[in-house]
Amino acid sequence: MCGIVGYVGPKDCSEVLVNALTKLEYRGYDSAGIAVFDNGEIKTVKTKGKLQDLKDKLAEVGTPKGHVGIGHTRWATHGEPSDVNSHPHSGARVTIVHNGIIENYMELKDFLISKGRTFLSDTDTEVVAQLLDYKYNGNPLETIDSVMAELKGSFALGIMFKDFPDRVFAVRRESPLIVGVAEGECFIASDVPAILQYTRDYYLLDHDEIVTLSPDGVSFVDEHLDPIEKELQTADWDMEAAEKGGYPHFMIKEINEQPEAIRTTIMPRIKEGLPFLEECGITTETIKNFKNITIVACGTAMHAGMVGKYVIEDIARVPVNVDIASEFRYRNPIVGEGDLVIIISQSGAAMRLAKQKGAKTLAIVNAKGSSIAREADMLIYTLAGPEISVPSTKAYITQLSVMYLFAFELALAKETISTAECKRLVSALTKMPEAVQYVIDNCEDTCKFVATKLVATDSLLYIGRGLDYALSMEGSLKLKEVSYIHSESYAAGELKHGTISLIDEDVPVIAVATQTDIIPKTISNVVEVKSRGAKVILVCTDACARELKDGVADYVIEIPHTDELLMPITAVVPLQILAYYTSINRGIDPDKPKNLAKSVTVE
């Protein structure tokens, strides 16, 4: 999502910036721009669209000539894709590019407006540019440090000050940024691919560190403006691997991108601790009178809808039906005036059918400007960025995230939860990026080991109850997609209605148990399958793991206990990682499973 580049050196800066941005196209974007010092003035050229559109515009208006500049490809979050909202953005003396989310930008914008500042765009980025300009004291490092103290969120910034025409400054907090160096030139970039055509040597910029790029090289200071030394890194992978950020496959890269994808998706939709979905067409007035909801989706998106069903019915007390899109379209569904149909991802025909029947529609999609996005009555974009691996991971987790936000908003509108309870739930949701990161950091080795036990498996079963059952459906799909092992998901309480006859020592069972009130029931089902010879892999909370009796499960994957309503967000991660490593162990490319494609064009 988004790409930052910057350059100081003897080459044609505009050419370097555009070339570097082309290597970041895989991150996804909807606009592009560059700013270059040209005869002592900062000349900016930017446009909505792709890099070819930027090249066309440069040819039309003139390409800046210089040796110092910054560039950006933008994936719209605050403000629609447009020339005006494209980066770079400027104050009178400062020009910046920006990745990430400034969570308190409205508060800062209100302050700057009170000081007489005016704004041209709808972006949080321009707020940072204006704040830097407002606070500028002639010392770039002191000014950046002062502004950093006021910013909340995750971000990376490339900055130029008008009266320092030979320098580029950069800083980051959580969002990635590297600093490349070569003989007589230096770079900043969001990822290694941007600079590989020029150098393989780079530094990793840590949180709240500021780097200065100049003709003399690069220098770093920490948050106290004290000089620091950095260890030089050398990239030793090819371009294809570099585009994967050093990961062997896009699937594991995208699993690791999930914390940031959640953060980017939810933070712009929260205001004063409550869901803020007005820009999506969702307000208390627009949703409070819905009596029935139908969620229509396919595959992974449908599994996100299943979680949404449990959550909406639990806290908003509105009945929800989840329908497979192809089934919904070819029967005579009972929807009409007063109903809401939620379309997740690829289900345009189903949405049009719902509208014909008089229902209101809400689209939850990642693709900007798609027909679904254009035609829906209400629209929530998931801001996962590009997902290159065919098996969906971060798209699913961001779909879950917006389903939760919508459920909270609906429950508040229905007055089935209090404002205080809604704020508590939203606060818990904002902690999910850190919780997911914890699972990635602490469960990967266990999942990698457990995956070795599934290499020779022909068939297995996933079980769970309630939210855990909805989650186990996604776990089962992931495994069969990438490992070609036959896998099914079953509600644990249904085992005795036929399925348990399939259980023996050759059919492993993966059980999910995260919901405290029904964990004992799920564990009793685990004991049932264990007694019939099954090897059991149990994904459960750390609290549950501490209370397990010896021998109940063969392998236990522990995840931290969070708010139980939100457990599917963290619990899906070990299931994704387990599927990934099982695929690797079986010699399969997880990014390109046979017979599958990223976009479904047939039903």
Side-chain angles (χ1 to χ4, degrees):
M1 291 168 288
C2 303
I4 283 177
V5 295
Y7 177 72
V8 175
K11 294 184 175 71
D12 180 336
C13 183
S14 294
E15 181 180 348
V16 171
L17 295 176
V18 173
N19 286 343
L21 289 173
T22 63
K23 304 304 181 183
L24 298 178
E25 286 191 287
Y26 71 92
R27 298 170 67 88
Y29 66 103
D30 46 42
S31 59
I34 62 173
V36 175
F37 273 109
D38 186 339
N39 290 320
E41 297 292 327
I42 298 175
K43 184 175 181 180
T44 298
V45 181
K46 57 182 183 175
T47 184
K48 173 185 175 182
K50 298 299 183 182
L51 281 171
Q52 186 57 52
D53 297 296
L54 177 61
K55 293 175 184 177
D56 293 343
K57 189 166 184 177
L58 288 168
E60 175 188 347
V61 303
T63 301
K65 301 298 181 182
H67 303 285
V68 176
I70 52 179
H72 192 262
T73 50
R74 175 180 186 252
W75 180 270
T77 54
H78 297 82
E80 65 181 7
S82 69
D83 288 1
V84 171
N85 288 332
S86 303
H87 298 205
H89 286 279
S90 299
R93 298 165 292 177
V94 183
T95 297
I96 74 168
V97 290
H98 160 228
N99 285 354
I101 297 292
I102 307 301
E103 295 171 13
N104 60 334
Y105 84 101
M106 284 301 300
E107 172 189 331
L108 296 172
K109 188 173 185 177
D110 289 343
F111 166 77
L112 290 166
I113 290 173
S114 74
K115 297 298 182 180
R117 295 269 168 165
T118 57
F119 290 82
L120 300 176
S121 75
D122 301 318
T123 66
D124 54 346
T125 305
E126 189 185 0
V127 174
V128 181
Q130 295 268 23
L131 187 60
L132 283 163
D133 189 71
Y134 175 77
K135 285 179 163 286
Y136 186 47
N137 65 357
N139 185 313
L141 294 180
E142 289 180 359
T143 302
I144 294 169
D145 190 57
S146 175
V147 168
M148 287 286 289
E150 296 197 31
L151 300 182
K152 297 178 181 178
S154 61
F155 47 84
L157 302 171
I159 309 166
M160 298 196 304
F161 290 85
K162 189 175 181 179
D163 51 356
F164 284 82
D166 63 344
R167 302 183 189 186
V168 168
F169 302 86
V171 65
R172 69 172 285 253
R173 181 181 296 164
E174 297 186 10
S175 291
L177 201 66
I178 64 166
V179 180
V181 292
E183 185 66 33
E185 54 188 349
C186 39
F187 312 78
I188 55 170
S190 297
D191 205 349
V192 173
I195 64 170
L196 270 186
Q197 58 193 311
Y198 303 109
T199 181
R200 289 180 175 269
D201 295 329
Y202 65 96
Y203 296 96
L204 295 173
L205 196 63
D206 289 328
H207 299 308
D208 291 350
E209 291 178 348
I210 307 172
V211 62
T212 303
L213 280 61
S214 75
D216 298 325
V218 298
S219 60
F220 303 89
V221 296
D222 62 17
E223 58 188 314
H224 306 295
L225 300 184
D226 293 327
I228 51 177
E229 297 295 326
K230 306 285 291 182
E231 181 181 355
L232 186 66
Q233 312 285 324
T234 300
D236 58 359
W237 52 78
D238 59 21
M239 184 60 72
E240 182 180 358
E243 289 177 350
K244 296 170 185 172
Y247 293 99
H249 298 94
F250 280 109
M251 183 177 178
I252 193 66
K253 176 179 184 286
E254 288 159 5
I255 289 171
N256 278 270
E257 288 174 342
Q258 289 181 123
E260 181 63 20
I262 297 169
R263 187 179 291 111
T264 303
T265 294
I266 65 172
M267 289 308 183
R269 280 72 181 259
I270 296 170
K271 185 176 182 180
E272 297 179 354
L274 292 170
F276 182 68
L277 301 173
E278 287 186 9
E279 68 172 17
C280 307
I282 299 170
T283 65
T284 297
E285 294 303 315
T286 59
I287 65 175
K288 69 178 182 180
N289 293 322
F290 290 128
K291 293 184 172 60
N292 296 284
I293 294 175
T294 298
I295 299 174
V296 182
C298 315
T300 285
M302 187 195 68
H303 298 156
M306 287 294 296
V307 173
K309 168 185 169 69
Y310 278 93
V311 175
I312 290 170
E313 290 187 342
D314 184 23
I315 66 171
R317 310 308 297 162
V318 177
V320 180
N321 179 52
V322 180
D323 231 326
I324 299 171
S326 57
E327 293 296 314
F328 180 87
R329 182 181 178 187
Y330 292 110
R331 63 184 178 82
N332 190 18
I334 305 175
V335 297
E337 292 186 12
D339 296 334
L340 175 65
V341 176
I342 301 176
I343 307 293
I344 306 179
S345 192
Q346 304 176 52
S347 308
M351 185 186 70
R352 286 184 280 276
L353 175 60
K355 290 173 75 73
Q356 289 171 10
K357 289 179 169 288
K360 292 294 184 182
T361 56
L362 164 61
I364 298 175
V365 297
N366 194 51
K368 301 276 181 166
S370 66
S371 59
I372 297 174
R374 293 193 304 269
E375 296 172 24
D377 298 302
M378 295 166 276
L379 168 66
I380 305 178
Y381 279 121
T382 57
L383 303 174
E387 192 178 57
I388 296 170
S389 182
V390 169
S392 178
T393 53
K394 62 178 180 174
Y396 171 80
I397 216 164
T398 54
Q399 289 163 358
L400 283 188
S401 300
V402 297
M403 286 300 303
Y404 278 110
L405 278 179
F406 174 78
F408 300 161
E409 179 81 36
L410 181 64
L412 194 62
K414 291 283 186 181
E415 299 182 351
T416 53
I417 61 172
S418 65
T419 299
E421 174 63 6
C422 189
K423 285 188 173 182
R424 186 191 71 78
L425 290 169
V426 170
S427 176
L429 183 61
T430 64
K431 295 179 174 64
M432 286 299 102
E434 289 74 21
V436 170
Q437 188 63 59
Y438 179 90
V439 174
I440 292 170
D441 293 341
N442 291 275
C443 294
E444 184 169 7
D445 288 345
T446 303
C447 293
K448 191 174 184 178
F449 170 74
V450 171
T452 65
K453 308 302 178 183
L454 301 177
V455 175
T457 299
D458 294 322
S459 183
L460 58 76
L461 192 68
Y462 282 73
I463 61 173
R465 291 173 179 259
L467 282 169
D468 293 332
Y469 169 52
L471 177 62
S472 71
M473 295 172 69
E474 175 60 12
S476 174
L477 176 62
K478 277 294 149 290
L479 188 79
K480 72 178 75 171
E481 277 183 316
V482 300
S483 72
Y484 311 157
I485 296 173
H486 172 255
S487 172
E488 299 297 336
S489 174
Y490 234 73
E494 283 288 285
L495 279 173
K496 285 191 174 179
H497 295 270
T499 305
I500 203 167
S501 64
L502 301 175
I503 301 298
D504 59 27
E505 63 275 8
D506 295 322
V507 181
V509 174
I510 299 177
V512 183
T514 69
Q515 305 296 300
T516 300
D517 58 339
I518 52 178
I519 281 178
K521 293 288 187 182
T522 302
I523 297 302
S524 70
N525 298 128
V526 168
V527 172
E528 281 184 307
V529 297
K530 193 81 172 65
S531 68
R532 286 158 176 80
K535 293 291 184 183
V536 174
I537 300 163
L538 178 63
V539 178
C540 66
T541 62
D542 43 15
C544 172
R546 287 193 295 271
E547 297 178 6
L548 284 178
K549 295 181 179 179
D550 291 341
V552 169
D554 296 277
Y555 311 102
V556 178
I557 302 173
E558 296 182 32
I559 58 176
H561 187 272
T562 61
D563 188 286
E564 296 207 352
L565 201 64
L566 301 172
M567 284 302 300
I569 293 179
T570 49
V572 74
V573 178
L575 302 183
Q576 295 168 339
I577 298 173
L578 187 62
Y580 170 76
Y581 281 110
T582 303
S583 173
I584 298 303
N585 291 335
R586 288 169 67 91
I588 297 165
D589 182 352
D591 289 339
K592 301 172 183 177
K594 64 183 180 182
N595 304 329
L596 298 179
K598 197 65 182 172
S599 296
V600 178
T601 56
V602 294
E603 293 180 298

